[in-house]
Amino acid sequence: MKKLIYLFGIVCLAVSCDTNTKTKTTHTEDSEENEIVKPVSLRDTSITPAVAYNNFFIDSAAVMAYVTKNNLPAAEANRIQSFYNQRNFQFAWFTNNGPTEEGRNFWNAYTYEKTKAKDTGYDRKLVVMMDTLLPSLDTIVIDATDSTYVNAEIAITRKFLNYYTSREDGTDNNLLQLVPTRKADVLASADSILKTESKIVDTNNLHRQYHALKKELAMYLQLAKTQQADSVVFIGKLKKGMSSPVLPVIKKRLQLMGYLPGADTTAVYNDSLAAAISLYQMSLGMKADGILSDSVTRRINIPYKQKVAQILVNMNRLLWMPSKIGDHYIQVNIPEFMLHVYEAKNKVFEMPVVVGKEGTNTMMFAGDLNQVVFSPYWNIPESIVKNEIVPGIERNPDYLASHNMEITGKRNNLPVVRQLPGKGNSLGRVKFLFPNSYDIYLHDTEAKYLFTKTRRAFSHGCIRLADAEKMANYILREDSAWNAEKITEAMNSDTEKFVKVKNPVPVLITYLTVWVDDAGKMNTRDDIYQHDAAAIKRHFISF
């Protein structure tokens, strides 16, 4: 399988061919031994804070100091200088309040692939720093002159450039620059992508999603260019048999988006409109009752230009997926509140999940599910101990006993608390580990009532499964020592037991608010963590 599915335009510029190049033999992390020394690109001073993707700028002298201090080979030094010249020395990976989405995406892909390759020699100091920063998104303040962050920024750029320039893989250089330099016009960006032949290798469902969304992009771009959409002002509910002056506009919008066949524009709520509304509701993850409500109307009113922008940022996220996932993996899509299991091109099964509530977001990353833990202890995170357990103990001396908890030590002036296996345990009867920096895992739960809700963001960041026993049977299906009866017994033994998975399964935690389902219909979900809103604001003009 090819190493990566993407390469972005700015790298091509930074390492573009020039007639005055020479070859020099060097060796750096992730780089080829034979480096081509290319001239440094000119600084783009037209990128001002008003048009820049990132309003956080690095001192140009700091870049030169880093190159000098690390005694970088000429080819590598020139690439780094070109990279920052072309963005007029904007930070690529950090804003003033933490890593950018691009920073998180690259770091997750990079560390996952290094782990898969069993490469433990990469910059451990930088790994520790990023492991600390990534879970603290939006809760820290970064100073652009702080040498710690400046050096981390340049070190990540160094890895990024070396990582991609050593790859030969499917590319789509005209997609949104993976590390943008300036805001772009959304319609012009979409036009450019659609006019460029995609070379992304179609090896798993996530790659196929990219191609499927590209087709939806073409439709919504055409609508954005040709249709002046009227907003429907409507409060209340409409259903089959009723009439309203807003229905002709509703029908037209649904026809244009492909949910309502024909050309009916009457003011009557007929059978075909009820069927179209049901289909549209399903694409939104709502109950398909065929009733036009305020919430359905609000989504129908979303401007086509905004839909184009949303599709673009989600296509861009798909390009950051690690290449080594293959076609057998587990995907948890946060905005969808669903888990999907894929083998080859087939979806084996899916189940509802509960994800992190706002403030304790579930992070986007990849890992390999390599352990099943039956009847687990819950080692309670410090934040929960501080904010919930300690106040609970102060209010009620019997708090620990009543919650089946015990103190096992002390750390950072806080008690170390764990909850015992068995009834009432917050992790339920089994958990599934895929090592990561965020201490996020899949687990059972006794709060089954949460799965009846449409919006399921209630956890402290981990992912609760609607049917953990089914997942345990699936993960251990190739292990003859673990049949269904033994799994049930282990889940109800009240004794913690770790089981190593013979063939670890990749797990992808994604944040896709739009995607195309098996029936070929585009699905949309709410931007629960406001990642789309932030990306659109950074990427595009007039949003």
Side-chain angles (χ1 to χ4, degrees):
M1 179 178 175
K2 294 186 178 180
K3 297 278 183 154
L4 287 173
I5 64 170
Y6 53 86
L7 184 68
F8 87 115
I10 198 167
V11 175
C12 295
L13 291 171
V15 296
S16 58
C17 294
D18 187 273
T19 55
N20 299 315
T21 61
K22 59 183 179 177
T23 300
K24 181 176 180 180
T25 301
T26 63
H27 179 73
T28 59
E29 181 194 39
D30 301 322
S31 65
E32 299 290 339
E33 290 191 0
N34 294 321
E35 293 280 356
I36 298 176
V37 180
K38 299 175 181 177
V40 176
S41 301
L42 295 176
R43 183 169 181 172
D44 187 351
T45 56
S46 69
I47 299 176
T48 65
V51 300
Y53 165 78
N54 190 353
N55 61 4
F56 204 49
F57 287 79
I58 192 171
D59 187 344
S60 59
V63 176
M64 292 300 297
Y66 180 94
V67 168
T68 302
K69 180 180 178 180
N70 288 277
N71 194 27
L72 299 186
E76 192 175 11
N78 285 9
R79 282 204 304 271
I80 290 174
Q81 291 176 61
S82 291
F83 179 86
Y84 284 105
N85 273 351
Q86 288 161 356
R87 54 192 302 106
N88 202 15
F89 290 86
Q90 295 170 69
F91 274 76
W93 313 109
F94 296 99
T95 66
N96 64 329
N97 63 350
T100 62
E101 182 171 322
E102 288 74 22
R104 299 193 304 274
N105 287 339
F106 169 63
W107 192 252
N108 287 330
Y110 172 78
T111 53
Y112 177 75
E113 299 227 352
K114 287 294 184 182
T115 302
K116 290 287 283 188
K118 295 183 171 55
D119 181 352
T120 58
Y122 57 99
D123 192 335
R124 300 305 303 173
K125 185 176 179 181
L126 185 59
V127 169
V128 171
M129 178 182 175
M130 292 299 287
D131 285 352
T132 302
L133 282 177
L134 290 175
S136 304
L137 184 64
D138 296 331
T139 63
I140 57 175
V141 177
I142 293 177
D143 184 345
T145 64
D146 187 323
S147 61
T148 300
Y149 297 110
V150 169
N151 289 331
E153 161 75 19
I154 305 169
I156 294 171
T157 295
R158 182 184 180 189
K159 294 180 184 303
F160 178 79
L161 295 175
N162 287 335
Y163 191 53
Y164 292 109
T165 54
S166 66
R167 301 303 196 253
E168 294 180 2
D169 46 27
T171 66
D172 192 338
N173 293 335
N174 211 33
L175 185 64
L176 289 172
Q177 292 179 342
L178 291 182
V179 188
T181 62
R182 65 174 75 220
K183 297 180 190 297
D185 177 81
V186 62
L187 301 187
S189 294
D191 251 332
S192 180
I193 291 166
L194 292 170
K195 290 175 182 176
T196 303
E197 181 183 359
S198 175
K199 300 176 183 178
I200 296 173
V201 183
D202 196 9
T203 58
N204 63 38
N205 187 61
L206 291 166
H207 301 176
R208 290 186 286 277
Q209 275 296 324
Y210 177 85
H211 295 294
L213 281 178
K214 193 170 182 179
K215 293 179 181 178
E216 297 295 324
L217 178 66
M219 183 188 79
Y220 279 98
L221 176 62
Q222 182 65 19
L223 292 176
K225 286 181 173 181
T226 62
Q227 298 295 323
Q228 183 63 42
D230 297 322
S231 293
V232 175
V233 179
F234 165 70
I235 298 174
K237 291 184 178 181
L238 291 171
K239 56 185 178 179
K240 190 168 63 174
M242 301 176 71
S243 297
S244 171
V246 305
L247 291 182
V249 178
I250 293 290
K251 288 180 177 180
K252 183 179 179 182
R253 293 287 292 266
L254 291 172
Q255 288 162 359
L256 290 170
M257 292 189 292
Y259 292 96
L260 177 62
D264 173 33
T265 57
T266 65
V268 178
Y269 205 121
N270 50 22
D271 288 336
S272 59
L273 178 57
I277 292 293
S278 291
L279 188 62
Y280 187 60
Q281 287 171 320
M282 284 190 286
S283 78
L284 298 171
M286 301 173 67
K287 180 181 178 181
D289 58 14
I291 297 174
L292 181 65
S293 63
D294 299 351
S295 58
V296 174
T297 304
R298 185 169 62 252
R299 289 164 173 82
I300 290 176
N301 277 336
I302 293 174
Y304 299 130
K305 186 175 182 180
Q306 186 172 332
K307 296 294 290 185
V308 169
Q310 185 182 20
I311 293 170
L312 286 174
V313 298
N314 279 271
M315 288 175 68
N316 199 40
R317 284 188 189 120
L318 286 167
L319 292 185
W320 286 103
M321 298 297 147
S323 67
K324 295 183 182 296
I325 292 299
D327 58 8
H328 178 205
Y329 61 93
I330 296 168
Q331 178 193 5
V332 175
N333 189 25
I334 298 167
E336 186 187 7
F337 309 111
M338 290 293 291
L339 175 148
H340 309 274
V341 178
Y342 291 96
E343 291 180 9
K345 294 185 178 182
N346 302 314
K347 185 185 294 183
V348 181
F349 66 88
E350 61 186 15
M351 69 174 66
V353 296
V354 170
V355 300
K357 58 189 175 184
E358 191 169 0
T360 56
N361 298 3
T362 299
M363 304 297 290
M364 294 175 276
F365 67 95
D368 286 345
L369 197 164
N370 59 10
Q371 286 190 89
V372 178
V373 185
F374 292 111
S375 298
Y377 284 94
W378 179 33
N379 298 303
I380 304 175
E382 283 188 11
S383 60
I384 299 176
V385 172
K386 179 181 178 180
N387 298 323
E388 299 179 25
I389 307 299
V390 170
I393 294 171
E394 291 172 349
R395 290 192 305 268
N396 176 13
D398 295 325
Y399 181 89
L400 292 175
S402 64
H403 289 82
N404 204 25
M405 296 175 180
E406 64 182 7
I407 294 175
T408 61
K410 194 169 185 178
R411 183 173 57 243
N412 298 329
N413 294 318
L414 286 171
V416 176
V417 183
R418 68 178 183 178
Q419 189 173 40
L420 303 175
K423 185 174 176 58
N425 186 286
S426 294
L427 304 185
R429 296 291 185 168
V430 61
K431 68 178 179 180
F432 306 86
L433 302 181
F434 41 105
N436 60 83
S437 303
Y438 311 109
D439 197 25
I440 289 175
Y441 42 85
L442 309 176
H443 67 87
D444 185 23
T445 178
E446 293 189 347
K448 301 298 185 185
Y449 70 94
L450 293 177
F451 296 106
T452 65
K453 299 182 180 295
T454 302
R455 188 183 179 98
R456 295 186 293 276
F458 300 106
S459 81
H460 288 93
C462 286
I463 299 155
R464 306 176 192 176
L465 305 179
D467 193 344
E469 187 165 0
K470 180 176 182 177
M471 179 62 73
N473 276 280
Y474 176 76
I475 295 298
L476 298 176
R477 69 196 183 284
E478 296 176 350
D479 191 334
S480 59
W482 287 94
N483 57 28
E485 291 74 20
K486 189 168 182 180
I487 286 172
T488 300
E489 180 184 351
M491 288 179 66
N492 293 278
S493 70
D494 293 347
T495 300
E496 187 175 63
K497 185 173 182 61
F498 286 75
V499 180
K500 185 177 180 180
V501 177
K502 288 185 175 180
N503 296 302
V505 182
V507 177
L508 272 174
I509 313 298
T510 62
Y511 191 91
L512 299 176
T513 59
V514 292
W515 71 93
V516 177
D517 64 22
D518 296 337
K521 289 294 183 183
M522 189 173 84
N523 279 242
T524 306
R525 296 295 187 273
D526 290 340
D527 182 20
I528 62 170
Y529 297 157
Q530 296 301 298
H531 290 333
D532 281 7
I536 288 171
K537 184 178 180 180
R538 288 187 180 282
H539 279 273
F540 303 120
I541 300 167
S542 302
F543 271 93

